[in-house]
Amino acid sequence: MKQYKIGLVLGGGGSRGFAHLGVVKALEEMGIKPDVISGASAGSIAGSLLADGKTPEEALEVVKNKGFFQYTSIRIPRSGFFSLKGLADQLRNTYSVKKIEALKIPFYVAVTNLNKGKIEYLHQGPLLRSVIASSSIPVLFEQVKIGDNYYVDGGLLDNLPHKPIKSICEKIISVNLIPVKETSNVRGMKNVISRVLDLAVNLTIQKAREESDLFIEPKALMPYGYLSNKKADEVFKIGYDHVMKMKIEL
């Protein structure tokens, strides 16, 4: 008998993360609720709000109404071009607790330890700093210091962090926001960078795909970018509709 029945793994994907909330709403309507959550990057934001007891709709309202430049601030680039202070302030005013271990649903945050050069899965400690660290895309956002070490985006080394919960759950549900398929659109710096990041991230996802009892990957997300909240409701609906069309047996 394992410790938890259902574990939910939420991957990174920038503003595609609104789809996580739609996915969870659909699962809840099917009577499926997670007993433990693990998240990286955008998945850590969505997962932390859900673990704090927010409904998918409440979590959506928390983060959808401000644009990229309202959640960030430009800074002199020593370790990143932007600070996530705006997002941190929003989450600080929303969370009901300060420690990861105090959340209503057990929660793991994937972060990349720059000093040690390895992935870590935080299950205790400061909630806000851990989530901001997990969401800090290297170079774009400044790194976050926790204790004696500096941390950045957990998706850099493990974008679908099933490892910390796979041995303690009877069933694993994983949600991948970065599906990859053949494309002819690989010209221009923006497209090349985006494609390279997608391919690099997906190298770490295959194992999670194989070891998940339910793997959710809305292909309709592919045209959507990573740094705009303008289509939050639309992205939420994509996640919801995708699950509602699935035949799920757990």
Side-chain angles (χ1 to χ4, degrees), residues 107-129:
F107 182 57
Y108 289 81
V109 186
V111 291
T112 297
N113 187 320
L114 284 180
N115 296 90
K116 297 180 180 179
K118 68 176 186 178
I119 190 74
E120 294 181 9
Y121 306 102
L122 305 181
H123 187 47
Q124 296 181 327
L127 173 61
L128 181 63
R129 291 188 71 79

Side-chain angles (χ1 to χ4, degrees), residues 6-214:
I6 296 176
L8 177 65
V9 184
L10 303 177
S15 51
R16 292 182 184 181
F18 296 112
H20 283 318
L21 303 174
V23 165
V24 171
K25 176 177 171 58
L27 290 173
E28 287 182 350
E29 291 181 4
M30 296 178 178
I32 301 170
K33 294 186 178 183
D35 301 297
V36 58
I37 302 172
S38 178
S41 201
S44 76
I45 298 172
S48 64
L49 291 168
L50 295 168
D52 196 33
K54 305 294 184 293
T55 67
E57 293 90 346
E58 289 171 340
L60 177 66
E61 290 302 318
V62 168
V63 291
K64 83 170 187 177
N65 291 322
K66 291 185 178 182
F68 176 74
F69 289 105
Q70 290 175 288
Y71 279 128
T72 63
S73 58
I74 298 175
R75 60 193 303 280
I76 298 173
R78 289 181 298 173
S79 59
F81 286 97
F82 297 95
S83 163
L84 283 173
K85 183 180 183 304
L87 176 60
D89 289 342
Q90 184 83 350
L91 293 176
R92 183 183 293 108
N93 293 330
T94 300
Y95 289 143
S96 65
V97 299
K98 294 184 178 180
K99 297 288 186 179
I100 299 172
E101 59 268 32
L103 290 165
K104 294 180 176 64
I105 299 175
F107 182 57
Y108 289 81
V109 186
V111 291
T112 297
N113 187 320
L114 284 180
N115 296 90
K116 297 180 180 179
K118 68 176 186 178
I119 190 74
E120 294 181 9
Y121 306 102
L122 305 181
H123 187 47
Q124 296 181 327
L127 173 61
L128 181 63
R129 291 188 71 79
S130 299
V131 169
I132 294 300
S134 184
S135 306
S136 295
I137 302 169
V139 182
L140 184 61
F141 300 122
E142 64 180 334
Q143 58 204 22
V144 176
K145 189 176 184 181
I146 303 176
D148 295 327
N149 295 302
Y150 287 92
Y151 293 86
V152 293
D153 198 326
L156 180 65
L157 296 181
D158 190 356
N159 201 50
L160 205 56
H162 73 298
K163 293 178 183 178
I165 66 172
K166 66 177 183 179
S167 64
I168 57 176
C169 296
E170 294 179 16
K171 302 288 185 179
I172 294 288
I173 300 173
S174 296
V175 187
N176 179 35
L177 303 180
I178 309 181
V180 170
K181 68 177 183 180
E182 185 175 340
T183 179
S184 59
N185 189 21
V186 291
R187 295 182 63 83
M189 183 178 294
K190 181 180 177 181
N191 290 330
V192 171
I193 291 174
S194 178
R195 182 64 170 175
V196 168
L197 289 174
D198 287 356
L199 294 175
V201 163
N202 269 269
L203 288 175
T204 67
I205 287 175
Q206 187 56 37
K207 186 71 172 177
R209 183 192 301 270
E210 294 170 356
E211 297 187 354
S212 296
D213 297 281
L214 176 62

Side-chain angles (χ1 to χ4, degrees), residues 203-231:
L203 288 175
T204 67
I205 287 175
Q206 187 56 37
K207 186 71 172 177
R209 183 192 301 270
E210 294 170 356
E211 297 187 354
S212 296
D213 297 281
L214 176 62
F215 193 82
I216 299 172
E217 187 179 64
K219 295 289 197 301
L221 290 173
M222 291 191 68
Y224 292 80
Y226 298 129
L227 298 175
S228 174
N229 292 359
K230 292 181 179 179
K231 297 184 178 180

